[in-house]
Amino acid sequence: MSFTIQNALIPVDSGYETADVKVVDNCISAIAPNLEPAGTVIDGKNKLLLPGFVNAHTHSSEMWQRGIIPPLPLELWIAELYDFTPLDPEQVYLSAVGTAVETLLSGGTSVVDHLVLIPGQELETIAAAVRAYQEIGIRAFIGPLIQDQSLTAGMPAGDSGLEHATYIRSTKATLELMEEAIKQFHNPEQGVNMLLAPTGIQLCSDGLFEGCIELSDRYNICRHAHLLETPAQKQLAYEKYGCSAVEHLQKIGYLSPRTSLAHCVWLDDADIAIMAATGATVVHNPLSNLRLGSGIAPIFKYRQAGVNVSFGCDGAASNDSQDLLEAIKIGSILHNITDLDYRQWITPRQSVEMASLGGAKGLHLADEMGSLTVGKKADFVLYDLTSLSLLPRTDPIGLLILGRPTNAVDSVWVNGKQIVAEGKVKTIDVDALRRELFDRSEWTSKRQSQTVSEIEAHYRQVMKLQGYS
C-alpha cells in the first residue's frame, strides 16, 4: 500500500516544518518537502502529523461499569468490579470495539488490553477481543489478566490471620491456558500480539510469575503486570517477601526491557534504581490513580533515573474513559505540584515522545514504531489545526497536549492502512455501536456488592481506618 501526505506540519528540533511523507509497503519511505508523490495523494495542509500514541494499559471490558462504581480504594473497588463483571463474550467484543474507537479518536494507534477473562470461557473471551481489534484495525497487545490466588489475598493480612479461598484455576492450568492462547492468537503480522500479564504480586504466586517468564522467553513476547499501585500493596509485599515488590520481581527475573508495569506509584529510590538497571517500563495511569486515591507516581524521579515512561488510560471503570489525550495532559501537568523545580516539568513535546516512542519501547518495538522515522511502520495521526479547540494558532503541540482537544483527530493510519478519515472511523458503523451499547445497558445508580460488604471491615482495620466514620 502506497500513499503520500503532502504539506503536513511536522515537528522538528527548531520548531516545525511543512513536509511530505511518502509511505510504501506500509512503512515510511521518505520525509521531505516537495516529494514526488507515490500512490494516493492526501492533503495535509493545516494539519499536524504525529506518530501514533500507545494506550499502554487498559482493561477494555470495564466499559460496562464506567460511571457507576462509587469512590472506593482499589482493594474495594475491584471487589465491586468483579461482582458485576460481564460474563458474555459478545459484551467483551463490544467493549473492545468501544475501547479501540475511543483510543483512535484521541490519537492512539496501539492499545495494551489487560483483558479480564470470563471463568470457563477464557479462550472465547480472548477470541472476542481479537475479533474486535482486527475488525477495527488498531494495533492490539492483549495480555489476559491472570492470577492464581483469590481476591482477599490482595489485601495485607495484618494480625487477622485471614484465610483465603482456593482460586478457581491452578497455576499449572493457567499457564497451559496462556500457552494455548499464544498458539491460537499471537499474530503480529495481523496486528494482534499476545502478552504474558499476571495481574500483580498481590494475587499471583512466584510459580505463576516464573511460568510467565519462561513462556515469554520461549515465544519472544513481552510481559506486563500491575506494580505497587496502592499503599496496601506495598505493605502486602513486605508481608509476603520481607522486601519490596520490585526487589522480589528482580530476584525472580521478571523485570527486563520487555517488561512494562502499570502504575508504579509506591516505589522508593532503591526500587527506581532497579527499574532503571533492568530496563523495565513504567506505564503512568494518572487518572485511575486519582480516581481510586492510589497516589501520585514519582514520574520526575523515573525520568531523572533514565526509566522509560509511557501513558495509559487504565480501565474504563477506574478512569472512566478511554480519552488518551486527557490521560496524557493530566499525567504531564499533575507532577508540577510534586516538584518545585520547574526546569524538570514535562514539556508538551516530551509528553508526545513519552506517549509514542515511550509506548513503543515498553513493547520492545521502538525500532519499528513510535516516531516519524524513515523505515518505521506507518502508524501516525493527522490532527486538524483548524479545529476550534486548537485555535487560535500558537504552538500546535502545546495546544494539543495542554488544551482540551475535541474533534481534533482528522485521520489515523495503522500499519499503512487508513482507519480514520475526516474524523470518522472507516472500519465500523459507530452509530450502530452506540445503539448496541445503549440497548444492552440500562440506567442505574444503586447496586450492592456483597464482596465489598464482606471485606470492607478487614480493609479498614489493616489500613488503620477504623477511626473514620
Side-chain angles (χ1 to χ4, degrees), residues 5 8 10-12 17-23 28-35 49 371-376 380:
I5 301 173
I10 295 175
V12 294
E17 67 177 22
T18 300
D20 301 343
V21 177
K22 186 185 295 186
V23 173
I28 300 171
S29 65
I31 303 175
N34 305 313
L35 289 174
L49 185 68
S371 63
L372 298 178
T373 303
V374 172
K376 288 194 177 185
F380 43 58

Side-chain angles (χ1 to χ4, degrees), residues 342-365:
Y342 54 88
R343 291 182 178 178
Q344 302 297 324
W345 293 357
I346 298 170
T347 69
R349 288 193 177 221
Q350 289 171 334
S351 300
V352 166
E353 184 174 18
M354 291 163 66
S356 51
L357 189 59
K361 285 180 179 177
L363 297 165
H364 210 52
L365 289 172

Side-chain angles (χ1 to χ4, degrees), residues 51-299:
F53 301 146
V54 178
N55 186 354
H57 177 72
T58 190
H59 308 278
S60 63
S61 62
E62 286 183 17
M63 177 173 285
W64 296 98
Q65 297 191 65
R66 62 183 181 183
I68 191 172
I69 301 181
L72 290 170
L74 174 74
E75 287 74 21
L76 301 179
W77 170 93
I78 200 170
E80 171 146 344
L81 181 84
Y82 277 29
D83 277 356
F84 300 98
T85 293
L87 299 177
D88 176 3
E90 188 64 18
Q91 287 181 284
V92 172
Y93 163 78
L94 290 169
S95 52
V97 170
T99 295
V101 168
E102 291 189 62
T103 297
L104 287 164
L105 294 179
S106 57
T109 53
S110 296
V111 60
V112 176
D113 191 352
H114 208 177
L115 184 67
V116 179
L117 301 177
I118 300 172
Q121 300 182 74
E122 292 88 353
L123 292 175
E124 292 89 343
T125 306
I126 299 168
V130 168
R131 175 165 64 96
Y133 292 134
Q134 287 188 319
E135 287 181 7
I136 294 294
I138 198 168
R139 197 179 295 279
F141 299 82
I142 300 174
L145 191 150
I146 52 175
Q147 63 193 76
D148 59 355
Q149 297 173 349
S150 61
L151 193 63
T152 54
M155 293 189 294
D159 300 322
S160 69
L162 188 67
E163 294 186 3
H164 311 301
T166 301
Y167 190 61
I168 59 171
R169 190 174 50 243
S170 71
T171 304
K172 181 175 181 290
T174 299
L175 291 169
E176 289 172 349
L177 174 65
M178 289 303 95
E179 184 165 19
E180 182 59 30
I182 293 166
K183 290 177 178 177
Q184 284 195 32
F185 302 113
H186 184 61
N187 192 346
E189 294 303 313
Q190 296 297 316
V192 175
N193 304 261
M194 297 302 295
L195 307 178
L196 274 305
T199 183
I201 62 102
Q202 65 274 21
L203 295 174
C204 300
S205 69
D206 282 356
L208 186 58
F209 275 110
E210 289 163 352
C212 288
I213 294 167
E214 192 278 327
L215 285 172
S216 71
D217 289 345
R218 178 151 40 108
Y219 289 99
N220 193 31
I221 60 179
C222 289
R223 309 195 273 261
H224 190 63
H226 300 96
L227 178 62
L228 293 179
E229 184 174 353
T230 68
Q233 289 177 9
K234 184 171 185 176
Q235 183 177 332
L236 176 66
Y238 280 94
E239 283 187 3
K240 290 181 72 168
Y241 311 126
C243 64
S244 80
V246 177
E247 288 179 82
H248 188 73
L249 290 179
Q250 182 193 32
K251 287 176 185 176
I252 64 174
Y254 196 76
L255 305 181
S256 79
R258 290 191 290 122
T259 305
S260 61
L261 298 155
H263 302 289
C264 299
V265 176
W266 293 93
L267 278 65
D268 60 24
D269 291 347
D271 294 332
I272 293 171
I274 292 171
M275 293 288 286
T278 58
T281 288
V282 169
V283 183
H284 187 25
N285 300 275
L287 288 161
S288 62
N289 292 343
L290 293 171
R291 162 80 151 92
L292 304 179
S294 300
I296 299 176
I299 297 301

Side-chain angles (χ1 to χ4, degrees), residues 297-326:
I299 297 301
F300 288 166
K301 286 188 174 184
Y302 288 126
R303 288 172 53 81
Q304 290 164 357
V307 177
N308 182 51
V309 181
S310 59
F311 291 104
C313 288
D314 206 357
S318 63
N319 177 328
D320 297 44
S321 134
Q322 292 296 292
D323 187 331
L324 193 48
L325 284 167
E326 181 185 43

